[in-house]
């Protein structure tokens, strides 16, 4: 299927690895010019080299990068110095750490809200009016399946990402944006084979004294698909939400979790 977005410009955050990289790769393979953003310059440069060498990338597709912390004013300024206007924006920031809410102070909450709620809102604010003026725009926020099924030890993530979800539910439905072919959706990953999941499983193994493999197998057993998702399939879903064909989908929370969420709605 031709997604109809070749030649568009995309900003992909947290793009050096994992789900962000999967999104960047899928968009580039569709002929979208991508500006990749991540904090770690070395990992980011390696990711750029990998995408430039991808045989599925159309030869004239640009792959640019900015090493910056997108959760800061300075980082966002660097991104928009690189390019002022984007047709597609994929927001993505590392999730806050797990823990007991009794141990989190105000600073921990503010950090989580800054990264996982206010940063996406700032990126939306900076780009949607230009998108509306041009008659095309796609924003995809990578959030978490915990928005629909909260996880007790991920209270910081549950709270901050739910705040973003509520904000998007309102702004995505404003006629000024929806009627101008600008969509805003959230993509909610479950358990995906990423460095963050491996780190979490390693931590669980250390706490329980069980082998990492046993902890991983136990987690997989909670997923009806009996496996973890891959960044490639996550990226493909993201690319579809960014496509011309998804122009009638906005304000939605798209859950991609192998069937783990037990609810009907």
């Amino acid at each position: 299927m031709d997604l109809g977005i070749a030649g568009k410009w995309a900003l992909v955050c947290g793009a050096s690895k994992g789900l962000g990289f999967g999104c960047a790769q899928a968009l580039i393979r569709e002929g979208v010019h991508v500006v990749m953003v991540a904090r770690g310059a070395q990992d980011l440069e390696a990711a750029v080299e990998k995408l430039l060498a991808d045989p599925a990338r159309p030869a004239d597709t640009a792959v640019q990068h900015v090493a910056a912390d997108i959760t800061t004013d300075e980082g966002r300024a660097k991104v928009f110095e690189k390019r002022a206007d984007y047709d597609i924006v994929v927001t993505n920031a590392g999730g806050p750490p797990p823990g007991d809410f009794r141990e989190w102070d105000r600073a921990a909450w503010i950090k989580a809200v800054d990264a996982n709620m206010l940063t996406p809102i700032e990126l939306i604010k900076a780009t949607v009016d230009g998108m509306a003026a041009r008659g095309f725009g796609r924003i995809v926020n990578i959030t978490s399946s915990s928005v629909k099924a909260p996880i007790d030890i991920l209270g910081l993530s549950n709270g901050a990402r739910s705040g973003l979800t509520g904000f998007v539910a309102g702004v995505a439905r404003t006629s000024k944006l929806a009627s101008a072919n600008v969509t805003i959706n959230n993509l909610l990953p479950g358990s995906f084979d990423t460095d963050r999941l491996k780190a979490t499983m390693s931590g669980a193994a250390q706490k329980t004294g069980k082998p990492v493999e046993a902890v991983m197998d136990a987690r997989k057993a909670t997923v009806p698909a009996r496996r973890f998702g891959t960044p490639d399939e996550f990226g493909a879903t993201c690319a579809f939400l960014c496509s011309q064909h998804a122009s009638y989908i906005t304000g939605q929370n798209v859950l991609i979790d192998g069937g783990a969420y037990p609810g009907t709605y």
Side-chain angles (χ1 to χ4, degrees):
M1 179 186 289
D2 180 0
L3 298 187
I5 48 178
K8 303 291 187 185
W9 277 91
L11 169 64
V12 181
C13 303
S16 63
K17 59 181 67 176
L19 303 182
F21 179 83
C23 293
Q25 178 175 257
L27 290 170
I28 285 166
R29 288 176 173 177
E30 292 297 324
V32 176
H33 307 302
V34 172
V35 176
M36 303 169 67
V37 183
R39 287 175 295 179
Q42 187 173 354
D43 287 340
L44 184 57
E45 289 168 5
V48 170
E49 290 178 6
K50 183 175 180 180
L51 291 180
L52 287 172
D54 188 340
R57 176 182 70 91
D60 60 347
T61 303
V63 183
Q64 300 180 3
H65 67 287
V66 179
D69 184 350
I70 198 68
T71 68
T72 67
D73 291 337
E74 296 78 12
R76 290 189 291 274
K78 286 182 67 175
V79 166
F80 290 107
E81 285 173 8
K82 186 76 171 181
R83 183 176 181 84
D85 296 314
Y86 295 93
D87 306 297
I88 294 167
V89 175
V90 180
T91 76
N92 179 32
D100 186 328
F101 78 93
R102 298 170 184 84
E103 300 172 357
W104 296 326
D105 58 14
R106 176 178 174 80
W109 279 105
I110 294 300
K111 185 176 180 180
V113 170
D114 267 343
N116 300 118
M117 179 181 173
L118 298 182
T119 290
I121 290 173
E122 289 293 336
L123 293 172
I124 292 168
K125 182 171 70 173
T127 56
V128 289
D129 289 338
M131 292 175 176
R134 294 188 297 275
F136 179 91
R138 299 286 184 268
I139 293 176
V140 176
N141 303 299
I142 299 177
T143 63
S144 171
S145 61
S146 67
V147 170
K148 285 185 69 71
I151 300 169
D152 59 351
I153 61 171
L154 296 181
L156 290 171
S157 179
N158 298 341
R161 297 189 193 278
S162 293
L164 175 64
T165 303
F167 170 79
V168 167
V171 73
R173 291 172 170 84
T174 58
S175 59
K176 181 180 178 181
L177 297 180
S179 67
N181 192 25
V182 177
T183 68
I184 310 176
N185 293 291
N186 304 315
L187 193 49
L188 285 56
S191 297
F192 275 77
D193 188 9
T194 63
D195 287 350
R196 178 174 170 83
L197 178 69
K198 291 171 185 173
T200 301
M201 295 294 97
S202 178
Q206 290 177 2
K207 284 185 177 180
T208 61
K210 297 179 180 178
V212 173
E213 294 76 10
V215 175
M216 298 278 274
D217 288 343
R219 172 64 73 87
K220 289 178 184 177
T222 67
V223 181
R226 293 297 187 267
R227 65 177 180 87
F228 298 138
T230 69
D232 282 357
E233 59 193 340
F234 186 89
T237 305
C238 177
F240 176 76
L241 287 176
C242 296
S243 74
Q244 295 280 5
H245 309 295
S247 62
Y248 211 52
I249 303 173
T250 195
Q252 300 304 305
N253 295 292
V254 180
L255 187 63
I256 176 168
D257 70 346
Y261 175 67
T264 302
Y265 302 107

